[in-house]
Amino acid sequence: MRNWASLKPFGLGEQKPNNYLEIWKAFRENRGQRRFAWRILRDGACDGCALGTSGMHDWTMDEIHLCNVRLRLLRLNTMPALDIRLLADVSEISGKSSAELRDLGRLPYPMIRRAGEPGFTRIGWDEALDLAADRLRRAGSDRFGMYMTSRGEPNENYFAAQKAVRALGGNSIDNAARVCHSPSTFALKGALGVAATTCSYTDWIGSDLIVFIGSNVANNQPVAMKYLYHAKKKGTKVAVVNTYREPGMDRYWVPSNLESAVFGTQITDRFFLVNVGGDIAFLSGALKHMIDNKWVDRDFVDAHTVGFPELEAALAERSFEELAAVSGASSQDMLELARMLGEARTAVLVWSMGVTQHEFGEDNVRAIVNLGLSKGFVGHEKSGLMPIRGHSGVQGGAEMGAYSTALPGGLAVTPENAAKFRDLWGFEVPAEPGLTAPQMLDGDLDVLISSGGNFLEVLPDPAHSRERLARIPLRVHIDICLSSQMLVEPGETVLLLPAQTRYEMIGGVTATSTERRIIFSPEIPGPRVPEAWPEWKITTELAARARPEIAALVRYTGTPQIREDIARAVPAYQGIETLTAKGDNLQYGGPLLCRGWNFPTPDGKAHFSLVEVPAMDRPDGTFVVSTRRGKQFNSMVHEQRDSLTGATREAVLMNPLDADRLGLSDGDRVTLRSARGELSCRVSRAPVAPGNLQVHWPEGEVLIDRTKHSPQAGIPDFNAVVTVEPAAPRS
């Protein structure tokens, strides 16, 4: 009973998701294809969040693994082709939301639209591929780019696409990791010599402490709440560092566990509210307290790390008053987190977009790593550093080399590494980094290939993205359904190429979870869109036709051959070629990286980092606004109201003290203004740190300065300084 959230049976009357209703909605949405939908759930690897499954089971607990995210994505895999008459004149559908466009159905076959034409007409695969290949050939290596989303993307698609782009002479291929965890890659690699989570999900259960920093797994990885239920039963304490006291992280009703479903589970033991951008100051203050109270594991630090004396000296020059002013939390709060860490023998530190999506995202992660290293919370069971992923495909994207700044295996783009892949593949591989996703739109591309994704909803300043997309002479959109960026006016030509889902590919595919588990997902028998191609075939065929002299070097016979190529190119993935059936998997690096405190760095030691505490200067009367997710998956909005918070898509979450000071009540209409744009919202009082606001993403991107990004990863800073102006009263 100690962890019960409420005595109300099933949380009646509480603000929480209705998980059983979600099951009913999925049942209703997939009518006519329910057997196919069931086979996908039963046999496929989840295409939702990156916890990782085989069917409806995982490697963390002996219970059902099925979340609302996956249920909502299910219809994308079972819906029929759309009525192509809708595309004859896109003015008829250009005002529809992305959700409405998705609901129209699957892309049935290749289509083309030329400048001046009202809509799309049918085109054959050969004609479409030849047209695109000819333009790629004429564009040259520095005037084309490719962007890949991560929803449902298997490793095979990523690997084939990056190889095709490099065969075309460029490195300008990027994926959704660029705008989520790219700072984590840089910070972890520099500090530990590895660029992925160091532990497994099983390490949560029985750890003394789990700290979530800028991460809301209740919304983004719902099954993780079941992991936390089991962790709480084992006595694990949970702390959350965030700008908002997330209701789902406070209390949660796990639907598939009888006790939690009836009484709910109190998840978090201690919330620490900080300013947007105040993480470094808060975490540095906690570490300063740990040093002062002799809670640092000096034996580990002295034997296995470098850089701590310099960090200790730098922190000594900082006052707690200064750190508190920047962080928005008190010195006492910092002391409480320090004590929790100091008393813990084991701990897992988990972070997400609230940490990385800043212009100092890399330093945010380094501050977390510093805290974890101070107690040696890495390399042994029940401890670790975990950048938790939000998509089933995002971990594998960079590891396959679908990254403008990294080759397969995460190798830096250098002449030496490029030569390795030249020797492996038989064609020249460019030795200079390519364009990142934001840079692609700021450049002068002749060709943009977009696999899924939607720049209008992913990048800051959507008006700028629309204007730049309309300038590109040829846009090639590879997808399973319509998106708003497809309807942007052609520079010259727009091609729509229909792709297969991960469940339709002959030979099956693989995906890599947050815990580095490479999971086989078999082909699922069911209805097909006859002219949809596997994406790996589309990208390699474009390269083969653009450069027929090396066509044999880039074409594949199927996904088994791609996996053999991956095993040769990425040593950590050796064994992927043996995965052939449901349930087959391997966890590269084993359950723990850096086991026994053996760090694959040049000197064999972990590295503490000196991080600057960013200034938090902002004009009086302004607020810092950050973007958050609601009932959605990435930019795919599923509901207008978030079942966890009760907030609608037009809400601005505001501390009650700030609302009172401005004379605002719940539901009042206000306008947020930044240096870049404005957004009309309705006030929703919420437990947000004073002086901070939250709005939903992607709606809030109109406020964001697209020129602000982190120095190494180039991740956009999805935060802004704004004023709040009450709407003028109606006359």
Side-chain angles (χ1 to χ4, degrees):
M1 294 178 60
R2 64 178 180 176
N3 294 320
W4 286 4
S6 172
L7 293 178
K8 299 177 183 177
F10 298 97
L12 294 175
E14 301 283 353
Q15 181 66 53
K16 68 181 188 66
N18 187 333
N19 296 289
Y20 306 110
L21 179 61
E22 292 293 334
I23 295 173
W24 166 248
K25 287 180 178 179
F27 182 80
R28 185 182 60 199
E29 287 175 346
N30 291 279
R31 57 185 176 273
Q33 296 297 342
R34 287 171 185 152
R35 290 184 179 180
F36 183 36
W38 172 249
R39 289 194 294 270
I40 290 173
L41 294 176
R42 184 191 63 193
D43 298 328
C46 176
D47 58 349
C49 69
L51 298 185
T53 70
S54 177
M56 290 185 285
H57 297 274
D58 63 18
W59 294 267
T60 305
M61 59 192 181
D62 294 326
E63 298 178 24
I64 294 294
H65 179 133
L66 181 62
C67 70
N68 297 339
V69 172
R70 190 179 186 191
L71 289 172
R72 279 303 179 94
L73 294 174
L74 192 56
R75 184 56 178 163
L76 290 176
N77 300 289
T78 67
M79 63 186 179
L82 58 78
D83 182 350
I84 63 166
R85 291 174 295 182
L86 296 169
L87 296 179
D89 185 348
V90 298
S91 65
E92 300 294 324
I93 59 173
S94 59
K96 291 183 178 293
S97 68
S98 289
E100 292 170 328
L101 291 173
R102 288 195 304 272
D103 288 344
L104 294 176
R106 296 273 299 270
L107 294 173
Y109 36 67
M111 304 192 77
I112 188 171
R113 182 188 180 195
R114 297 179 176 86
E117 295 178 346
F120 291 89
T121 55
R122 186 172 185 173
I123 187 174
W125 269 107
D126 281 332
E127 185 181 356
L129 292 170
D130 285 342
L131 185 157
D134 178 67
R135 193 59 190 251
L136 282 166
R137 189 185 308 113
R138 290 187 286 119
S141 60
D142 60 342
R143 296 185 67 86
F144 78 90
M146 181 174 183
Y147 175 78
M148 303 182 74
T149 187
S150 55
R151 191 216 68 81
E153 286 282 16
N155 293 321
E156 291 79 0
N157 281 356
Y158 281 128
F159 189 83
Q162 64 82 27
K163 187 175 180 181
V165 167
R166 282 158 178 139
L168 290 166
N171 272 320
S172 295
I173 178 168
D174 228 17
N175 72 81
R178 178 67 58 190
V179 293
C180 58
H181 265 301
S182 50
S184 301
T185 299
F186 281 91
L188 284 171
K189 188 74 172 178
L192 308 179
V194 299
T197 181
T198 67
C199 60
S200 303
Y201 298 124
T202 52
D203 290 305
W204 288 18
I205 302 171
S207 178
D208 289 343
L209 176 66
I210 306 174
V211 184
F212 291 94
I213 308 156
S215 181
N216 179 14
V217 295
N219 188 66
N220 299 314
Q221 298 92 0
V223 173
M225 304 310 290
K226 188 185 293 188
Y227 301 170
L228 290 177
Y229 164 79
H230 288 290
K232 297 293 290 185
K233 296 290 282 186
K234 290 278 191 179
T236 300
K237 291 186 176 181
V238 176
V240 173
V241 180
N242 209 341
T243 304
Y244 175 43
R245 186 180 177 119
E246 297 285 354
M249 294 300 292
D250 192 359
R251 302 185 300 169
Y252 200 87
W253 282 257
V254 178
S256 57
N257 181 279
L258 181 60
E259 180 188 33
S260 185
V262 175
F263 300 109
T265 302
Q266 192 73 40
I267 299 295
T268 298
D269 296 277
R270 185 66 169 87
F271 280 93
F272 300 98
L273 293 186
V274 299
N275 285 328
V276 175
D279 303 276
I280 292 175
F282 181 75
L283 299 175
S284 296
L287 182 53
K288 183 177 171 69
H289 275 301
M290 292 180 72
I291 294 169
D292 290 351
N293 288 280
K294 297 181 171 52
W295 292 332
V296 172
D297 185 342
R298 291 285 180 170
D299 290 339
F300 165 78
V301 169
D302 293 343
H304 298 285
T305 74
V306 296
F308 188 74
E310 294 81 359
L311 176 59
E312 186 176 16
L315 289 174
E317 296 178 0
R318 295 279 188 180
S319 70
F320 286 115
E321 292 75 18
E322 175 191 6
L323 295 173
V326 174
S327 72
S330 68
S331 175
Q332 184 63 34
D333 287 336
M334 299 172 191
L335 176 60
E336 287 190 38
L337 178 60
R339 179 176 287 109
M340 295 179 80
L341 290 162
E343 293 175 349
R345 295 165 300 168
T346 57
V348 181
L349 278 61
V350 183
W351 68 93
S352 200
M353 306 300 94
V355 166
T356 58
Q357 290 182 332
H358 293 266
E359 59 180 336
F360 37 83
E362 296 91 346
D363 275 354
N364 276 347
V365 178
R366 291 185 183 108
I368 296 172
V369 174
N370 284 345
L371 206 56
L373 288 179
S374 72
K375 284 292 298 287
F377 290 142
V378 63
H380 57 92
E381 292 184 357
K382 309 305 176 186
S383 292
L385 298 166
M386 179 178 283
I388 194 167
R389 307 289 182 163
H391 291 187
S392 65
V394 73
Q395 182 71 37
E399 292 171 346
M400 294 298 96
Y403 225 34
S404 63
T405 51
L407 294 162
L411 295 179
V413 180
T414 64
E416 180 183 8
N417 289 333
K420 293 179 182 178
F421 290 99
R422 176 201 63 202
D423 296 341
L424 177 65
W425 292 333
F427 53 78
E428 289 294 326
V429 172
E432 296 293 329
L435 300 173
T436 65
Q439 289 170 340
M440 289 179 194
L441 288 193
D442 287 332
D444 291 313
L445 296 185
D446 288 336
V447 182
L448 173 66
I449 303 171
S450 181
S451 166
N454 188 343
F455 280 143
L456 298 181
E457 296 181 348
V458 170
L459 296 180
D461 196 347
H464 171 79
S465 295
R466 178 178 293 276
E467 187 269 333
R468 298 302 299 187
L469 284 170
R471 289 188 181 190
I472 299 172
L474 173 64
R475 303 199 317 271
V476 181
H477 297 286
I478 304 169
D479 213 327
I480 64 173
C481 56
L482 287 173
S483 68
S484 57
Q485 73 170 357
M486 297 176 181
L487 307 183
V488 173
E489 288 290 324
E492 292 178 11
T493 307
V494 175
L495 287 173
L496 307 183
L497 303 181
Q500 293 179 351
T501 72
R502 68 161 55 177
Y503 305 118
E504 296 172 340
M505 295 190 204
I506 296 173
V509 295
T510 61
T512 308
S513 73
T514 288
E515 65 174 5
R516 298 170 280 102
R517 191 177 299 276
I518 306 164
I519 305 162
F520 184 80
S521 186
E523 179 190 3
I524 307 298
R528 298 290 187 261
V529 175
E531 288 201 42
W533 277 25
E535 190 174 319
W536 61 263
K537 183 177 179 181
I538 299 172
T539 53
T540 54
E541 191 62 22
L542 284 172
R545 296 188 184 212
R547 294 194 64 192
E549 71 277 12
I550 63 167
L553 301 177
V554 294
R555 284 186 171 128
Y556 291 106
T557 58
T559 57
Q561 188 187 16
I562 301 175
R563 289 191 285 277
E564 291 173 359
D565 205 3
I566 293 171
R568 288 188 293 268
V570 185
Y573 272 63
Q574 287 177 3
I576 190 175
E577 73 280 11
T578 68
L579 308 182
T580 59
K582 176 190 173 183
D584 287 354
N585 73 97
L586 63 93
Q587 188 177 21
Y588 77 77
L592 297 169
L593 297 183
C594 311
R595 183 184 285 274
W597 296 331
N598 292 307
F599 299 99
T601 54
D603 59 6
K605 294 181 181 293
H607 289 240
F608 284 93
S609 304
L610 291 176
V611 291
E612 289 294 325
V613 176
M616 296 296 289
D617 297 330
R618 55 182 173 84
D620 290 342
T622 62
F623 295 80
V624 179
V625 64
S626 59
T627 53
R628 65 172 290 108
R629 312 299 186 265
K631 182 64 176 176
Q632 64 192 100
F633 180 74
N634 194 18
S635 63
M636 297 170 58
V637 177
H638 292 139
E639 298 285 353
Q640 290 302 303
R641 183 180 296 275
D642 183 357
S643 55
L644 282 167
T645 66
T648 64
R649 300 298 302 184
E650 61 177 351
V652 52
L653 302 183
M654 180 181 293
N655 184 281
L657 294 176
D658 290 328
D660 287 343
R661 180 169 54 83
L662 296 175
L664 298 171
S665 301
D666 272 327
D668 283 357
R669 177 74 66 180
V670 295
T671 299
L672 307 187
R673 298 188 192 277
S674 73
R676 292 290 172 175
E678 62 181 55
L679 180 68
S680 179
C681 305
R682 288 192 182 276
V683 172
S684 179
R685 292 171 174 237
V688 180
N692 299 267
L693 308 171
Q694 290 196 355
V695 296
H696 283 106
W697 180 88
E699 291 89 342
E701 289 187 349
V702 295
L703 301 169
I704 307 302
D705 183 351
R706 63 181 174 80
T707 66
K708 291 176 62 178
H709 53 79
S710 71
Q712 287 180 286
I715 191 171
D717 187 328
F718 285 91
N719 310 282
V721 175
V722 299
T723 57
V724 177
E725 302 175 13
R730 294 180 179 178
S731 56

